Amino acid sequence: MTSPGTAQGLTDAIDTPLYVVTAEADGERSGCLAGFVTQASIQPVRFLICISKVNHTFGVAEKAHHLALHALGSDQHDVATLFGAQTGDDTDKFSQVQWSRGVGGSPVLASCAAWVEGTILNRMSAGDHEAFLVSVDDGGPGPAAGCLMLSAAADIEAGHPVSAADQGPP
């Protein structure tokens, strides 16, 4: 079995885009910064969105039927900080940004580079994160330009950091 430390060189070399994922269920809204996101299918287009299991958004997403995914523009460090460093346990992030309700009920941010909202097709454990496979029901471009990358947001401290105890058995 490979030790977790051997992946460090590869993870250090990868600079990924940052996203905000939002959900609403049972009258509760939540959103968080997400770096583990990928397009998972070409036809039909689907995305795999991973949410930390210690994050407030995870609890809302587990009850939700839809998620919205927002690519952040290169000048949206402030939005990344709001959704990454603050926790929905004690902060109403949506009172600090403009948003509207998407066709599936998820909060859709008014300012981003691009967004999609879709139905959750499947959920699966991915270690300390839960992976949500999402179809695309709606989406479009946003007014922000460029793409905020992980390297530009390295100074953001997670509102709910994952610890070794959260990782479970290897």
Side-chain angles (χ1 to χ4, degrees), residues 108-153:
V108 174
L109 303 181
S111 185
C112 61
W115 65 277
V116 295
E117 183 192 25
T119 303
I120 298 170
L121 303 172
N122 198 358
R123 297 166 168 88
M124 63 210 91
S125 179
D128 58 13
H129 283 61
E130 184 86 355
F132 295 81
L133 182 64
V134 176
S135 65
V136 175
D137 300 332
D138 196 11
C147 187
L148 184 67
M149 302 300 285
L150 178 62
S151 60

Side-chain angles (χ1 to χ4, degrees), residues 18-20 31-33 72 76-87 91 93 96 148 152-159:
L18 291 178
Y19 302 85
V20 169
C32 66
L33 193 61
L72 294 179
Q76 291 192 283
H77 188 275
D78 57 335
V79 177
T81 301
L82 173 64
F83 281 92
Q86 300 296 315
T87 172
T91 301
K93 301 173 193 179
Q96 301 177 52
L148 184 67
D155 62 321
I156 299 174
E157 292 189 34

Side-chain angles (χ1 to χ4, degrees), residues 7-95:
Q8 194 65 49
L10 181 59
T11 58
D12 287 348
I14 297 171
D15 195 13
T16 61
L18 291 178
Y19 302 85
V20 169
V21 59
T22 60
E24 184 168 330
D26 299 334
E28 183 177 15
R29 287 184 301 274
S30 194
C32 66
L33 193 61
F36 303 142
V37 174
T38 190
Q39 185 175 340
S41 175
I42 296 170
Q43 193 56 263
V45 176
R46 294 188 172 154
F47 288 91
L48 193 67
I49 303 166
C50 297
I51 301 174
S52 172
K53 293 177 182 175
V54 299
N55 196 304
H56 179 268
T57 303
F58 171 70
V60 177
E62 281 286 35
K63 298 180 280 184
H65 298 287
H66 297 82
L67 293 178
L69 179 65
H70 310 81
L72 294 179
S74 57
D75 65 345
Q76 291 192 283
H77 188 275
D78 57 335
V79 177
T81 301
L82 173 64
F83 281 92
Q86 300 296 315
T87 172
D89 292 323
D90 52 33
T91 301
D92 178 6
K93 301 173 193 179
F94 297 96
S95 69

